[in-house]
Amino acid sequence: MEKSIKGKAFVLGNNIDTDQIIPAEHLVYSLNDPKESQLYGRYALSGVPLSEAGLPGGNIPFIKGEETVSEYSIVIGGSNFGCGSSREHAPFALMKAGVKAVIAESYARIYYRNSVDGGFLIPYEAKEKLNNVISTNDEVEIIIDENMLINHTTKKEYSLNPLGDILPIIEAGNLFEYARKSGMIV
Amino acid sequence: MGMTITEKIFAKGAGKKSVVPGDNVWLNVDVLMTHDVCGPPTIGIWKKEFGDKAKIWDKQKLVIFPDHYIFTKNPHANRNVEILRAFAKEYDIPNYYDVGTERYKGVCHIALAEEGYNIPGTVLFGTDSHTCTSGAFGMFSTGVGNTDAAFILGTGKIWEKVPESLLFTFDGGLPKYITAKDLILRVLGDITTNGGTYRALEFNGDAIFSLSMDERMTLTNMAIEAGAMNGIIEADEVVENYVKERSSKEYELIKSDEEANYKAKYRYNANDFVPLVAKPHSPDNIDTVFNVKGRKLTKCYIGSCTGGKLSDFVSVAKFLFSNEVRVPTFIVPASTYVAEQLEVETISGVTLKNIFEKAGCVITQSSCAACLGGPMDTIGRAQDGEVIISTTNRNFPGRMGSKKAEVYLASPLTVAASALTGEITDPRDYM
Ligand code: SF4
């Protein structure tokens, strides 16, 4: 596992549901086909109303034009991130778009499990509300061992909740690797 | 120390004497349900991870209902159903309900109940967030993603954290203008869309146990709208009778202990309820119908696993009898059984189907249809600028199609009253 995750922040509001992360009409693409699955990156966060995309100002598209990878690799959300449907396509789409971690105050259960069990990205819980103190385009870095977030743009630091029970699954890579390591499956 | 019904089923499913909230346990799964959106990726992960050794842990316990993107020309969506069909054939899956055949059932959560897969005291997982619907049968049921489902498909097990429980007691009786939808909207308004996150919502009280199975499923269905892991109602005679008609499986009636621990308890008097709506764009944006009445509508939608059951259509038909709708009104039976019953159930000798046809409604085939927007050619899909009132469960931006549409969620009675006037209407004005 890497020691830190560094990148540009993309900031969103509360209750970002899975329809905003990847609208239902796009759930039809293959997740296995390398070329077709890039479409998930292309449409990641395309359901977020543009005025709410890239806070505080909004109106910042997460994906530019026809691209499939975003310049933003860390998403900062508010409370109840990933609520709504059970679609695993949601963390998958963010991963395809190049997102390495999401930091939110709280998560919907299925989205949280999917992120971890599928090994798509790390869902960090912030100890405080961050989506009003971090701005889109800030250069941020997560120091994994220390459960800390550094905002290099504003020179501020924030502590994150330890990953706890899910850490072994994240370290193994995904649920299957974890089960293999612990001898549950061969 | 006492345990709640959810904790007891967890203990049973994990082979333990007792559990407490926060414990991570491996549960033995009694039924795994999947559908056309999440089934193909689940199968893909299962094949990739288990390789040549990939084996279904127990074919009898796997149930597959294509239901989401069924009646569309979208080639990608149709490919998903073809993948399920090929998989069912290759592995000789007994419980596959293919579209285009007599076995086709419609929306998975309602089909699970109708086909006898919901058994009190058991553990059911599904690749759909509204899998919590089955909790109306005194069982634990919840939604998971594809990776978790693929893991269950190969092992029959999954890890899960024992949830804290919230108890909602409804005393008294329901006034005739109130349905289960109004009760759950009230709960959502009170605890919000994340008030139930990682928790169990347990419902009891005289008003709850007086409800039909259809109505109980409306309550547990929307537990996920509060972010809950599961919704649950202890099984009683109503459940037993329903289950016995559809299954010969053994069941266990599990009840919460008197001294069980709840994170919080809420108590309501059902007599006091007034019709409610969830305003755009969140199921917890609750207001009374009275406060929003008069809002002009472009469409009424009656369908989905929440509001497309037979009892929902009976409620609607009472309003539409000998009347005409003022705005396009969609009747989307959740299951093929419900669709058949529309031609059997009558009011004053007229079938529900006839009532709806005479009223000028559009009656569609059974499926999820526009409840989740779906491909562009989905019937009833929300268009830019529309204002819709719907018996479905979610009104997040774009959920029913266009991000530029406004969706109000309400009971079948409120939606029917509104269909008659073309604006949001209080059902009490017509009763
Ligand atoms: S009817 Fe709607 S809520 Fe129910 S399973 Fe289908 S898409 Fe989901």
Side-chain angles (χ1 to χ4, degrees), chain B residues 67-68 107-109 128 130 221 304-305 368 371-372 393 399:
Chain B
D67 60 353
H68 276 60
V107 180
C108 54
H109 311 299
D128 191 285
H130 289 100
N221 175 274
S304 85
C305 52
C368 293
C371 171
L372 84 163
N393 47 38
R399 164 70 178 183

Side-chain angles (χ1 to χ4, degrees), chain B residues 223-428:
Chain B
I224 183 65
E225 268 54 75
M229 182 186 288
N230 66 314
I232 196 161
I233 302 169
E234 289 174 357
D236 62 359
E237 228 173 53
V238 175
V239 177
E240 282 190 81
N241 291 338
Y242 187 103
V243 170
K244 276 190 211 146
E245 273 175 33
R246 292 163 178 85
S247 170
S248 54
K249 289 206 189 82
E250 298 271 306
Y251 57 84
E252 192 182 342
L253 301 180
I254 297 180
K255 299 205 183 304
S256 295
D257 292 327
E258 289 269 333
E259 65 289 3
N261 245 329
Y262 291 91
K263 175 77 186 166
K265 291 184 183 181
Y266 298 78
R267 195 148 207 152
Y268 299 94
N269 190 338
N271 296 305
D272 300 341
F273 273 65
V274 295
L276 299 175
V277 287
K279 297 185 288 188
H281 292 282
S282 184
D284 64 356
N285 190 13
I286 303 300
D287 206 338
T288 60
V289 174
F290 184 82
N291 281 345
V292 294
K293 75 183 192 183
R295 181 88 174 95
K296 292 269 179 287
L297 298 165
T298 60
K299 186 187 280 175
C300 295
Y301 189 95
I302 303 149
S304 85
C305 52
T306 321
K309 296 174 263 83
L310 188 57
S311 69
D312 300 309
F313 292 116
V314 171
S315 301
V316 171
K318 285 183 189 151
F319 272 89
L320 300 193
F321 188 85
S322 301
N323 275 316
E324 276 178 34
V325 297
R326 287 280 183 85
V327 282
T329 298
F330 291 81
I331 301 282
V332 189
S335 69
T336 50
Y337 170 77
V338 174
E340 281 161 29
Q341 290 305 305
L342 295 185
E343 298 183 56
V344 175
E345 284 283 325
T346 57
I347 293 177
S348 307
V350 190
T351 66
L352 301 190
K353 189 168 178 214
N354 261 326
I355 294 170
F356 296 144
E357 279 169 355
K358 280 196 198 133
C361 301
V362 181
I363 306 177
T364 79
Q365 287 168 292
S366 303
S367 85
C368 293
C371 171
L372 84 163
M376 291 302 170
D377 59 351
T378 303
I379 192 154
R381 197 176 193 278
Q383 309 295 321
D384 289 0
E386 281 210 281
V387 184
I388 300 170
I389 193 162
S390 172
T391 63
T392 54
N393 47 38
R394 286 188 179 138
N395 60 348
F396 300 125
R399 164 70 178 183
M400 293 187 74
S402 167
K403 277 193 266 185
K404 295 186 186 125
E406 290 182 21
V407 177
Y408 290 78
L409 305 175
S411 79
L413 295 171
T414 301
V415 175
S418 303
L420 293 180
T421 60
E423 54 188 50
I424 296 180
T425 300
D426 197 315
R428 288 173 293 184

Side-chain angles (χ1 to χ4, degrees), chain A residues 116-145:
Chain A
V116 173
D117 286 356
F120 302 122
L121 48 83
I122 309 181
Y124 270 104
E125 276 173 9
K127 281 213 192 316
E128 58 195 295
K129 192 170 169 59
L130 293 181
N131 63 346
N132 54 358
V133 291
I134 294 175
S135 304
T136 299
N137 283 317
D138 283 0
E139 291 286 344
V140 296
E141 183 173 8
I142 300 164
I143 312 292
I144 292 179
D145 285 346

Side-chain angles (χ1 to χ4, degrees), chain A residues 14-58:
Chain A
N14 295 334
N15 294 316
I16 297 296
D17 72 281
T18 53
D19 281 280
Q20 294 184 63
I21 299 173
I22 182 78
E25 68 212 64
H26 299 302
L27 300 183
V28 293
Y29 317 130
S30 165
L31 296 141
N32 301 321
D33 182 85
K35 189 143 191 291
E36 196 177 316
S37 65
Q38 287 180 6
L39 287 168
Y40 285 103
R42 162 85 180 79
Y43 294 108
L45 294 178
S46 66
V48 179
L50 196 56
S51 60
E52 303 290 316
L55 299 177

